[in-house]
Amino acid sequence: MHDTPSKIGETPLQLTDDGYLVWRKFLKGLNLKLDEYRILCRGIIEGVYSEPMLATIIARAYYKPLKPDEIHKLTMAFVETGDTIEFEGKYIVDKHSIGGVPGNKVSLLVVPIVAAAGLKIPKTATRSITTIGTAEKMNIFAPVDLTAEEVKEVIKKAGGCIISTRKLNLAPVDDVLINIQSKLRINPISLMVASILAKKKAMNIKYMVLDIPQGRGTKVRTMKEATMLANRFIMVSESIGINLRCAITYGEQPVGHTVGVALEAREALETLQGGRPSTSLIEKSVGLAGILFEAIGITSEGNRLAKNILESGKAYKKFREIIEAQGGNRDIKIDDIPIGTYTAEIKSNANGYVVQIDNKLIMEVARRAGAPADIGAGLIIPYKGGRYVREGDTILKIFSNNEARLDKAYRFALENMPIVIEGAVRRIVRGL
Amino acid sequence: MHDTPSKIGETPLQLTDDGYLVWRKFLKGLNLKLDEYRILCRGIIEGVYSEPMLATIIARAYYKPLKPDEIHKLTMAFVETGDTIEFEGKYIVDKHSIGGVPGNKVSLLVVPIVAAAGLKIPKTATRSITTIGTAEKMNIFAPVDLTAEEVKEVIKKAGGCIISTRKLNLAPVDDVLINIQSKLRINPISLMVASILAKKKAMNIKYMVLDIPQGRGTKVRTMKEATMLANRFIMVSESIGINLRCAITYGEQPVGHTVGVALEAREALETLQGGRPSTSLIEKSVGLAGILFEAIGITSEGNRLAKNILESGKAYKKFREIIEAQGGNRDIKIDDIPIGTYTAEIKSNANGYVVQIDNKLIMEVARRAGAPADIGAGLIIPYKGGRYVREGDTILKIFSNNEARLDKAYRFALENMPIVIEGAVRRIVRGL
C-alpha cells in the first residue's frame, strides 16, 4: 500500500481509506475496476469528497478523457447509485439531445409523434436553472415532477410522457457531478456520455435517438468531432444494452422561431395544431422520430410516417392525452399561455439576407430579459438564416415581465447584433 | 469575445467578466500574458473563484504543466499580490528544501553556519499543520511570527533568522493555492516552483541553495526527475534575478536520528553544541551551506569552511545570537526542551543490517503518535540504513504526550515495520 509509486508533483501518498485511494487512482488516469468506480460513486453520494476533489474528478475527465470501457464501467456504477424503472412492453424508446442550441423544443413534438405510433416513450429531462429546459417547457402544460409509480401510470394510459428526473432518483451521483460541472461550465465528453446513458439505462430504455447539434456556436463545432462523439455514445450504448442511433443536426442557429419557456411552448403547440409551420422545427422533429421508427423496423420510411402522424393531427391528439395523463389541462389554448408583458423590437437597418444568427448572443439576450426564471421572457426571431429582409422589418422581438430587464436585453441586442444581415452596418466605431 | 473557439466538452463560453475569461484561458492550457496572470492572481485573492474553480487551476498545472516562461510570469504575478522586504547589503542569501523527507532539521544548522560567515540569511518557512515544519522547530527556541520591521531588525543584529511567513504577506495568493493543494494532496511542479521562488523574490533574496531530496519515498523518485526539476527551478530563478544552486540530496531515509518537533529541535541543538554527532545531519548541513559559500565566491572549499564554522562552535554562538534577536532564551539547554512523557520501544527480532527505513511509514508512525500538533510526539531512530543491529536492540523509540495515541502508533509500527532489518522476519501471516 505504501509502495504505490509516487510522481513529482504529488505529495507522497498517505495511508488512508479506500475512497481516497480510488480517487487518487482515478486522478492519475489509471484504469479503474468496476468495483473501484462503485467506491468512487458511493463516495461522491455520501459526501466523502470535498468540492475541490470533485472538481478534480471533472478536470481528470477533461484533461484525460475516459476510454469506452472506462465509460462503460462508470455508467454502470452511476446506474447502481439510484433506482431503476421497468416498463411493460418491448419498445421502450427515448429521444435525447446533448443540448447547446437555443429554441430546441423538438421533444414536445417527437414524444407525441412517437407515442401516437404506438411506441412507449417515457422521456425524462433534467431540470435546469440556467438553460431553457425541456421539463420547464412541458411544465407549461402539465406537472412534470412525477414519481416512478405516476410515470408508469402515464405511460400505461398515454404511451408517452415528458417529465423531470427530480423524483425518480435516477443515477443520483450524476446530479452531484452535474452541479459541479455547471459551476465550472466544463462538461467533459466522457462524463456527458455516462451521465446521459446512465439515466436512460435506469429507465430501461431499449431504443434511443440522440440529437447532436453541430456547428459554430454549439458544443460540437466540426463534423469530425460530432462523428467521434457519436461513435463514443454508440460504443458505450451497445455495451449497456441500448440500441442507439445518433443524429448529427445543424446547430448554428436556433430551432424554430422562438426562444424562451412560454414562447417555445406556444410554438410547439401551434406546430402540433398545424398552424404557421416552422420548417426547421418540423423537419428536425419528424427526422428524429423517423430515425426511431426505422431503428425499430416498423417502417423503412420513418420520416414520412412521422410527418403523416404530425400532419394528420394524431400527434396533437396524443399530446392532449399526455397532458391529461400527467395531470394538466388537455384543452389548453395558445393564448392561455402567458408571455412577457413588456416587449421591444429590433428592426433591420438595411435590405439583405440573414447570414448569421449567433446562438450565444441569442441566449445572452434571452437571459438578460429574464429567461429561464421568468418563463414569459424570451425572443421571437421572425427571419432565420437565408431569409430576405427589408429595411424596417422586425428581425428580433424581445419579451420580458420586467421593464428594466427588457431594456437591458434590448440594449445588449442592439450593441451586439445577434442577427447579421448581409449589407447592413453592424456597428459604428467613432474615431477621435 | 463571443467568438472564442469552444471545444467539445465545454459549455459554450458566456459573455462575462475578465476573471472568468482568464481562468477559462488558463484552464485550456493557453499561454497567458503577464497582465492575465495578474488578473488571475487578483481574482484568487479577492475570492472571485470558487473552491472548485481553484481546484481546476491546480488540475490544469497537474495535467498541463506550465512552461518556464509561463512560470516566470506567474511567479512575478504572485510577488505583486503581496509585500516585499528589502535588506541592506549585497549577500542576501537563503536555503530552502522542497520537502518530503522526515527529520530534515538542517535549516537550524545551515542558517547559523551561513550567518556566522558574515552573510545575511533571512530564512522563511511556511507554517504547516500537517508536516513537521522548520518554523515549528525554531518556535521551540524563539518566536517565529515576526513582522517585516522585526525581521529587518533581527537581520541587522544577528545576520540570520528562521521565521514564519505568517505576518509578512509574501505572495499571499500562494497561500490560497497551497491551501487547496494540501486539501487535494496534489502539488504540481510548476506551482511549486512559482510558490517557492515568489516568496524568495519578495524577500529580495540574491543567492539561494535549494535542497531537492531524491529517491524512493520522497517527492522526486529518480535522478532524472530531480535534474529536470532542478533545471526548471534554475531557469525561472535566473529570469527573476535569483542566483540559484540546486542540491539533489539522498532522501530515502530520515535525516539524522529524530523525527518530531521537539525531538528534532533537541537534535539540532545538540549537534550545534558538538555532542553526539549525526553524520547525515552534519554532512547535509555543511554541504548546503558550503554550496552557498562557493556560489558567492568567498571560498572554493565551501564544505570545509562550513564544517570549520560548525566544529569551532561559531555556529552555536551565532544560533544563540539569533535566538536572542528573535526574542527567545539564548541559554536554553537540551533538557529544557520537553518531549513526550509516554514512550514505547520496538526491538529487533534478529541480528542483521538496517536495509530500509520507509519515510512514509515513519511519518505515519509520528503522526499517529500526535505529531506535529503534539510537539513532544515523535521518534528516535538509533540505527540508520547500513548499521548493524543485534537481536533485542531498540530500533525505534516512540514518544507521545497521549497514552492512547502512543499505543496506536506503537501498534501501527509493529504491524507495518518501517525499519527493515535484513534477515528479520517482517510479518507472519497465518493460514487456515
Side-chain angles (χ1 to χ4, degrees):
Chain A
M1 206 155 142
H2 53 277
D3 258 338
T4 308
S6 79
K7 276 163 57 185
I8 311 191
E10 276 175 19
T11 307
L13 190 61
Q14 312 301 342
L15 299 164
T16 169
D17 64 349
D18 284 355
Y20 177 74
L21 290 174
V22 165
W23 168 73
R24 192 92 213 183
K25 197 171 164 186
F26 182 76
L27 205 67
K28 285 185 183 178
L30 301 173
N31 199 332
L32 303 195
K33 299 188 185 76
L34 178 57
D35 268 348
E36 292 173 318
Y37 280 112
R38 286 179 175 134
I39 293 169
L40 190 75
C41 290
R42 204 187 311 131
I44 294 171
I45 292 248
E46 287 173 0
V48 165
Y49 305 116
S50 64
E51 285 215 332
M53 287 172 98
L54 295 176
T56 63
I57 292 175
I58 315 299
R60 147 69 212 275
Y62 178 73
Y63 292 110
K64 287 189 189 296
L66 283 74
K67 296 186 185 66
D69 73 300
E70 296 175 288
I71 305 177
H72 165 75
K73 287 180 278 189
L74 182 64
T75 306
M76 294 312 290
F78 269 23
V79 173
E80 287 178 17
T81 61
D83 298 334
T84 57
I85 304 178
E86 194 84 49
F87 297 94
E88 285 166 28
K90 196 172 161 195
Y91 297 132
I92 312 300
V93 308
D94 206 347
K95 173 265 155 192
H96 204 89
S97 173
I98 68 161
V101 179
N104 200 18
K105 71 280 291 173
V106 296
S107 291
L108 298 182
L109 299 165
V110 174
V111 170
I113 291 171
V114 168
L119 308 180
K120 292 190 175 160
I121 181 162
K123 159 77 186 155
T124 51
T126 307
R127 282 272 198 176
S128 171
I129 51 162
T130 54
T131 62
I132 299 158
T134 295
E136 284 63 35
K137 293 171 211 172
M138 184 63 190
N139 201 25
I140 296 286
F141 301 103
V144 294
D145 295 330
L146 305 193
T147 64
E149 282 317 305
E150 288 165 345
V151 177
K152 286 165 107 168
E153 199 55 40
V154 170
I155 292 296
K156 201 177 276 175
K157 276 189 201 158
C161 67
I162 300 172
I163 57 164
S164 88
T165 55
R166 201 172 269 173
K167 290 185 178 169
L168 299 181
N169 193 34
L170 305 176
V173 62
D174 179 50
D175 301 334
V176 180
L177 291 176
I178 291 268
N179 177 35
I180 301 280
Q181 289 180 70
S182 71
K183 280 187 192 172
L184 295 171
R185 300 190 203 164
I186 309 175
N187 186 207
I189 294 177
S190 7
L191 297 185
M192 183 203 282
V193 174
S195 166
I196 291 175
L197 294 181
K199 288 197 156 72
K200 301 308 178 188
K201 182 68 188 167
M203 293 283 288
N204 275 293
I205 299 302
K206 298 291 186 299
Y207 294 84
M208 180 173 156
V209 60
L210 182 72
D211 169 27
I212 302 180
Q214 174 262 328
R216 188 168 47 168
T218 71
K219 292 185 182 177
V220 184
R221 292 175 69 83
T222 66
M223 191 49 91
K224 195 178 152 193
E225 284 176 20
T227 309
M228 194 268 283
L229 181 59
N231 283 330
R232 185 72 22 126
F233 265 107
I234 286 167
M235 264 190 276
V236 179
S237 291
E238 274 179 4
S239 76
I240 62 170
I242 294 177
N243 190 322
L244 174 69
R245 299 213 176 171
C246 292
I248 299 172
T249 58
Y250 177 76
E252 296 194 2
Q253 62 177 355
V255 178
H257 292 282
T258 57
V259 172
V261 178
L263 284 160
E264 292 189 45
R266 276 185 173 217
E267 188 179 23
L269 186 60
E270 193 174 5
T271 309
L272 282 162
Q273 290 175 345
R276 273 200 303 180
S278 154
T279 322
S280 67
L281 176 57
I282 291 175
E283 289 308 317
K284 184 166 178 178
S285 304
V286 302
L288 293 172
I291 289 171
L292 273 178
F293 294 156
E294 292 176 17
I296 288 174
I298 56 176
T299 173
S300 60
E301 290 184 287
N303 215 57
R304 182 177 294 184
L305 173 58
K307 208 159 194 165
N308 284 343
I309 292 173
L310 180 64
E311 287 175 355
S312 66
K314 286 182 194 156
Y316 176 50
K317 184 165 166 281
K318 178 54 79 178
F319 189 54
R320 289 162 44 108
E321 284 174 39
I322 292 171
I323 291 173
E324 187 171 37
Q326 284 188 213
N329 168 21
R330 58 177 290 148
D331 297 320
I332 189 168
K333 291 185 180 46
I334 292 166
D335 290 339
D336 296 338
I337 302 171
I339 51 179
T341 46
Y342 298 97
T343 62
E345 293 187 6
I346 289 181
K347 294 179 195 302
S348 177
N349 62 7
N351 295 328
Y353 288 91
V354 176
V355 289
Q356 195 198 333
I357 302 184
D358 187 299
N359 283 338
K360 287 170 193 164
L361 287 172
I362 283 290
M363 273 309 297
E364 191 60 30
V365 174
R367 227 176 255 124
R368 284 174 195 232
D374 173 358
I375 60 173
L379 318 168
I380 292 179
I381 304 157
Y383 301 96
K384 300 277 294 288
R387 302 286 184 83
Y388 185 72
V389 295
R390 283 170 212 283
E391 191 182 336
D393 281 348
T394 297
I395 54 173
L396 191 66
K397 188 167 180 184
I398 311 173
F399 296 78
S400 179
N401 282 308
N402 178 301
E403 202 170 359
R405 277 204 295 264
L406 180 81
D407 191 52
K408 269 174 69 181
Y410 175 70
R411 278 185 292 120
F412 180 83
L414 264 191
E415 279 164 23
N416 292 281
M417 286 297 186
I419 297 171
V420 183
I421 312 296
E422 195 179 41
V425 176
R426 289 204 75 195
R427 195 189 289 200
I428 296 161
V429 180
R430 290 173 211 283
L432 286 172
Chain B
M1 206 157 141
H2 53 278
D3 257 337
T4 306
S6 81
K7 277 163 56 185
I8 311 192
E10 275 175 19
T11 307
L13 190 59
Q14 311 302 340
L15 299 164
T16 168
D17 65 348
D18 284 355
Y20 177 73
L21 290 175
V22 164
W23 167 73
R24 193 91 210 184
K25 197 171 164 186
F26 182 75
L27 205 67
K28 286 185 182 178
L30 301 174
N31 199 331
L32 302 195
K33 298 190 185 75
L34 178 56
D35 268 348
E36 292 174 318
Y37 279 111
R38 286 179 176 133
I39 292 169
L40 190 76
C41 290
R42 206 187 311 132
I44 295 171
I45 292 246
E46 287 172 1
V48 166
Y49 305 117
S50 65
E51 285 214 334
M53 287 173 98
L54 295 176
T56 62
I57 291 175
I58 315 299
R60 146 70 212 272
Y62 179 73
Y63 291 110
K64 287 190 189 294
L66 283 74
K67 296 186 185 66
D69 74 301
E70 296 175 288
I71 304 177
H72 165 74
K73 286 179 278 188
L74 182 64
T75 306
M76 294 312 290
F78 269 24
V79 173
E80 286 176 19
T81 61
D83 298 334
T84 57
I85 304 178
E86 193 82 49
F87 297 95
E88 287 167 24
K90 195 171 159 193
Y91 297 132
I92 312 301
V93 308
D94 206 348
K95 172 263 155 194
H96 204 89
S97 173
I98 68 161
V101 179
N104 199 17
K105 70 283 290 175
V106 295
S107 292
L108 298 181
L109 300 164
V110 174
V111 170
I113 292 171
V114 169
L119 307 180
K120 290 185 175 164
I121 181 162
K123 161 78 186 153
T124 51
T126 308
R127 283 270 198 176
S128 171
I129 53 163
T130 55
T131 62
I132 299 158
T134 296
E136 283 63 37
K137 293 171 209 170
M138 184 63 190
N139 201 26
I140 296 287
F141 301 103
V144 293
D145 295 331
L146 305 193
T147 64
E149 282 318 303
E150 288 166 343
V151 178
K152 287 164 106 168
E153 198 56 38
V154 170
I155 292 298
K156 200 177 276 177
K157 275 188 199 158
C161 67
I162 300 171
I163 58 165
S164 87
T165 55
R166 199 170 271 175
K167 291 184 177 171
L168 299 181
N169 194 35
L170 305 176
V173 62
D174 179 51
D175 301 333
V176 181
L177 291 176
I178 291 266
N179 177 36
I180 301 281
Q181 288 180 69
S182 72
K183 280 186 192 173
L184 295 171
R185 300 189 203 165
I186 310 176
N187 186 206
I189 294 177
S190 8
L191 296 186
M192 184 204 281
V193 174
S195 166
I196 291 176
L197 294 180
K199 287 199 156 70
K200 301 309 180 189
K201 181 69 187 168
M203 293 284 285
N204 275 293
I205 300 302
K206 297 293 186 295
Y207 295 84
M208 181 172 156
V209 60
L210 181 72
D211 169 26
I212 300 180
Q214 175 262 329
R216 187 168 49 169
T218 70
K219 293 185 183 178
V220 184
R221 292 175 69 84
T222 66
M223 190 50 90
K224 194 178 152 196
E225 285 176 19
T227 308
M228 194 269 283
L229 181 60
N231 283 331
R232 184 74 19 132
F233 265 107
I234 286 167
M235 264 189 276
V236 178
S237 292
E238 275 178 5
S239 75
I240 62 169
I242 294 178
N243 189 322
L244 175 70
R245 299 212 177 172
C246 291
I248 299 172
T249 59
Y250 177 77
E252 297 194 3
Q253 63 177 355
V255 178
H257 292 282
T258 58
V259 172
V261 179
L263 283 160
E264 291 190 45
R266 276 185 173 214
E267 187 179 25
L269 185 61
E270 194 173 5
T271 309
L272 282 162
Q273 289 175 346
R276 275 202 300 180
S278 154
T279 323
S280 67
L281 176 56
I282 290 175
E283 290 308 318
K284 184 165 179 181
S285 304
V286 302
L288 293 172
I291 288 172
L292 272 179
F293 294 156
E294 291 176 17
I296 288 175
I298 56 176
T299 173
S300 60
E301 289 184 289
N303 216 56
R304 182 178 292 185
L305 173 57
K307 206 157 197 168
N308 284 344
I309 291 172
L310 180 64
E311 287 175 353
S312 67
K314 284 182 195 159
Y316 176 50
K317 186 165 165 279
K318 178 55 77 178
F319 189 54
R320 290 163 43 113
E321 284 174 37
I322 293 171
I323 291 173
E324 188 171 35
Q326 283 189 216
N329 168 23
R330 60 177 287 148
D331 297 320
I332 189 168
K333 290 184 182 46
I334 292 164
D335 290 339
D336 296 338
I337 302 171
I339 50 179
T341 45
Y342 298 97
T343 63
E345 294 186 5
I346 289 182
K347 295 180 194 304
S348 177
N349 62 7
N351 296 328
Y353 289 90
V354 176
V355 289
Q356 195 198 333
I357 303 183
D358 187 299
N359 283 338
K360 287 170 195 164
L361 288 172
I362 284 290
M363 273 310 296
E364 191 60 30
V365 175
R367 228 176 253 123
R368 285 175 194 232
D374 173 358
I375 61 173
L379 319 168
I380 291 179
I381 303 157
Y383 301 96
K384 300 275 294 288
R387 301 287 184 82
Y388 185 75
V389 296
R390 284 169 210 283
E391 190 181 338
D393 280 348
T394 297
I395 53 172
L396 189 67
K397 188 166 180 185
I398 311 173
F399 296 77
S400 179
N401 282 308
N402 178 301
E403 202 169 358
R405 277 203 296 264
L406 182 81
D407 191 52
K408 269 173 68 180
Y410 174 71
R411 277 184 294 119
F412 180 85
L414 263 191
E415 279 163 21
N416 291 281
M417 285 297 186
I419 296 170
V420 182
I421 313 295
E422 196 179 43
V425 177
R426 290 204 73 195
R427 195 190 287 202
I428 296 159
V429 181
R430 290 172 211 283
L432 287 170

